[in-house]
Amino acid sequence: MPLSAVILAAGKGKRMRSSLPKVMHTLAGKTLLAHVYDTANLLSCDDIYIVYGHEGDQLRAAHGAFNAHWVRQERQLGTGHAVLQAIDSITASHHVIVLYGDVPLITVHTLTTLVEQAADTGFSLLTAHLDDPAGYGRIVRDDAGNILRIVEERDANEPEKRLREINTGMMVVRVGMLKKWLGMLTDDNAQQEYLLTDIVGHAVSEGVGVNTVQPASVMEIKGVNDRVQLAELERHYQLVQARQLMSQGVTLADPARFDLRGALEAGEDVFIDINVVIEGEVSIGNQVSIGPNCVIRDTRIGDGANILANCVIDNADIGARNRIGPFARIRPGSSLDEDVHIGNFVEIKQSEIGKSSKANHLSYIGDSEVGERVNVGAGTITCNYDGVEKHKTIIGNDVFIGSNTEIIAPLKINDGATIAAGATISRDVESGALSMSKRETKVVKDWPRGRKKKGSE
Ligand code: UD1
Ligand code: MG
């Protein structure tokens, strides 16, 4: 059935106490609005309308990749008024699905059922049964169980308030009927707003049956009004993702202390320790172990790699059987071949490191090409920046670099060269050569070292 989605996102979200529009707050690294937009796309909606109010420029700029119609609602006069802003643009043969920019966890599965249920009468509504229905519109039914109307909490009497079936707000309506009923709305209610929910009463009085559907989980229909609710939905979503990964064969040391803000593809027998954050698109091979407190973003990690505690890896390619960390930082554009060891307090930026090469301690390797079986000693620094431009360091195969070496780029150290400890290298080094900087050790005998005065620290 041809479908247009209308996503309501004009509310200011006062209770967030934020300078950002509410729907720009993120859940699992993605804005609330993007969650709903992506779900509408999975549902194969032909057109997506987003009704916005506040900070429209900011909202549109943050979602530049959306293929959506942005519709401004000048003043927030109610949910019915919001849908009305888009209705004239929607193709007459479509059904309209109403979604909410601040209800991010609705699933395509539930919405598919909702769409199917609108096929016969042209009207379906997503409702839910809650133990505590406070704050929601209640579904009023007749003795036969047919829907009569929705009553908002503020307009409800005591028996109505005791009803547990609530309106989630999500619905599918044939566009012609929706347009007619929206035109009939008044603001004659406690909130003095044009309430979308009032169209249910109009449908019933015209003999149009309203079919109802329930979500698989009530978390799907929960909205975000404040930061407490945002955190609740985040934790729920993370747990769902964690369970999915575990069912696919990933061991999580603690599913409650794992965060995935993006997509993770993982092989067999992957172990992920506590407090690991995965962002963007990450793929991990078989038998990989990730230690505690690692942040890994947009990265591929090869089979058998061992990422030790407290590493930050961003936009990198980590080869099979690498050993990284603890406390290593691999920055964007870095590519490490197989069996590479990168140790503590080593930073690698925009560099290629060849097979079986090692930089085990306290080094900076930037804008470099490092060959195979190279040993980079502790405290080696590629001086890649002259204050204006970045320069490249090329290091051949089987090079040995002694500790505390400065390599002033651009230059090339050819295969098999040896650099003595403490050297400052500022020109190319021939293959097989030894290069050193002359720094003699001077000894002053019987040196009278200063003494602290009595009583001082
Ligand atoms: C609405 C429903 C209520 C339902 C509840 C579910 C109506 C009249 N009531 O109530 O039955 O139980 O949602 O959460 O629909 N919005 C706009 N423009 C407006 C007003 C609202 O875009 O002029 C957007 C808001 O940003 C929000 C959504 O519509 O995303 C719902 O509005 P809200 O004011 O929260 O409606 P509720 O009173 O919660
Ligand atoms: Mg609400």
Side-chain angles (χ1 to χ4, degrees):
M1 137 191 329
L3 206 57
S4 284
V6 177
I7 302 175
L8 303 191
K12 185 148 173 51
K14 262 191 213 148
R15 279 179 281 166
M16 295 300 283
R17 295 180 177 273
S18 172
S19 60
L20 277 183
K22 175 164 72 176
V23 295
M24 273 182 67
H25 285 261
T26 57
L27 187 147
K30 187 160 98 175
T31 67
L32 299 177
L33 183 57
H35 278 273
V36 181
Y37 174 85
D38 287 349
T39 305
N41 264 327
L42 286 174
L43 197 62
S44 307
C45 290
D46 300 277
D47 291 301
I48 297 176
Y49 297 83
I50 299 171
V51 181
Y52 69 94
H54 301 276
E55 278 90 17
D57 292 341
Q58 207 181 349
L59 209 54
R60 292 167 74 147
H63 299 100
F66 281 12
N67 180 16
H69 309 273
W70 294 88
V71 181
R72 181 160 165 80
Q73 185 188 23
E74 209 61 50
R75 292 166 62 210
Q76 281 67 62
L77 301 180
T79 48
H81 181 261
V83 177
L84 195 61
Q85 308 310 301
I87 198 78
D88 284 333
S89 317
I90 299 176
T91 310
S93 58
H94 282 197
H95 278 64
V96 174
I97 183 163
V98 179
L99 302 171
Y100 296 81
D102 57 356
V103 183
L105 300 189
I106 187 67
T107 63
V108 68
H109 174 80
T110 296
L111 294 181
T112 301
T113 311
L114 189 67
V115 170
E116 284 164 4
Q117 286 301 310
D120 57 348
T121 65
F123 198 158
S124 63
L125 183 68
L126 188 68
T127 72
H129 297 271
L130 300 183
D131 292 336
D132 178 12
Y136 289 94
R138 309 296 206 283
I139 307 294
V140 183
R141 293 180 184 264
D142 65 16
D143 294 340
N146 300 310
I147 287 202
L148 292 178
R149 60 196 171 87
I150 297 174
V151 59
E152 289 302 289
E153 166 122 334
R154 286 170 67 179
D155 298 307
N157 58 33
E158 283 311 314
E160 285 168 341
K161 279 187 184 159
R162 283 196 290 275
L163 294 170
R164 295 263 181 87
E165 188 184 7
I166 63 94
N167 170 37
T168 69
M170 284 168 268
M171 59 179 74
V172 176
V173 191
R174 208 176 286 146
V175 73
M177 306 196 301
L178 179 59
K179 189 169 177 175
K180 181 171 73 177
W181 296 329
L182 286 176
M184 293 160 75
L185 296 180
T186 68
D187 63 354
D188 183 16
N189 50 62
Q191 301 179 69
Q192 294 186 308
E193 286 185 358
Y194 297 88
L195 308 177
L196 178 61
T197 44
D198 284 348
I199 69 168
V200 171
H202 291 302
V204 170
S205 62
E206 289 184 20
V208 175
V210 180
N211 301 318
T212 55
V213 172
Q214 280 77 45
S217 152
V218 293
M219 296 309 284
E220 289 187 44
I221 60 120
K222 294 252 163 117
V224 173
N225 294 302
D226 56 36
R227 294 178 198 249
V228 173
Q229 289 170 340
L230 180 61
E232 280 167 8
L233 291 196
E234 174 82 38
R235 285 342 301 164
H236 170 78
Y237 187 76
Q238 291 300 346
L239 215 50
V240 169
Q241 294 190 125
R243 290 207 180 108
Q244 245 164 35
L245 286 168
M246 291 188 288
S247 73
Q248 290 161 14
V250 175
T251 295
L252 296 175
D254 183 357
R257 284 180 289 173
F258 166 76
D259 283 73
L260 170 56
R261 302 172 189 154
L264 171 61
E265 220 181 277
E268 252 182 13
D269 296 316
V270 167
F271 174 79
I272 299 180
D273 215 324
I274 60 167
N275 297 333
V276 168
V277 178
I278 306 275
E279 298 182 338
E281 293 195 4
V282 171
S283 94
I284 300 181
N286 300 322
Q287 276 85 41
V288 169
S289 169
I290 301 191
N293 310 318
C294 289
V295 179
I296 300 172
R297 182 183 307 122
D298 293 315
T299 285
R300 187 198 73 91
I301 299 178
D303 292 347
N306 190 3
I307 314 295
L308 299 168
N310 302 301
C311 291
V312 178
I313 304 178
D314 186 1
N315 257 285
D317 197 280
I318 307 294
R321 298 176 305 279
N322 275 205
R323 193 185 70 209
I324 311 289
F327 297 99
R329 181 171 182 210
I330 316 292
R331 292 173 53 198
S334 297
S335 175
L336 283 48
D337 208 331
E338 296 172 4
D339 298 296
V340 165
H341 291 183
I342 301 297
N344 42 209
F345 309 107
V346 174
E347 176 179 346
I348 310 276
K349 189 214 83 174
Q350 188 95 37
S351 294
E352 281 168 39
I353 312 290
K355 240 184 208 175
S356 303
S357 288
K358 297 181 173 68
N360 276 327
H361 330 266
L362 298 156
S363 290
Y364 172 65
I365 300 176
D367 303 307
S368 300
E369 271 173 39
V370 177
E372 300 181 358
R373 297 172 303 280
V374 169
N375 186 79
V376 177
T380 296
I381 296 183
T382 55
C383 308
N384 59 333
Y385 185 48
D386 60 12
V388 184
E389 279 181 279
K390 301 274 169 67
H391 301 284
K392 208 160 173 172
T393 298
I394 298 176
I395 298 173
N397 297 330
D398 302 297
V399 167
F400 181 93
I401 300 173
S403 298
N404 198 25
T405 296
E406 295 157 356
I407 299 167
I408 302 176
L411 59 69
K412 183 171 181 190
I413 301 173
N414 285 285
D415 290 356
T418 301
I419 310 294
T424 298
I425 305 296
S426 53
R427 66 167 183 84
D428 289 1
V429 179
E430 295 79 10
S431 179
L434 167 67
S435 183
M436 65 184 95
S437 301
K438 206 172 169 193
R439 265 193 223 167
E440 285 172 0
T441 304
K442 191 174 171 189
V443 177
V444 179
K445 280 188 182 169
D446 302 322
W447 173 250
R449 194 197 310 162
R451 295 212 173 167
K452 283 181 186 166
K453 281 186 190 143
K454 264 211 167 133
S456 71
E457 286 279 305

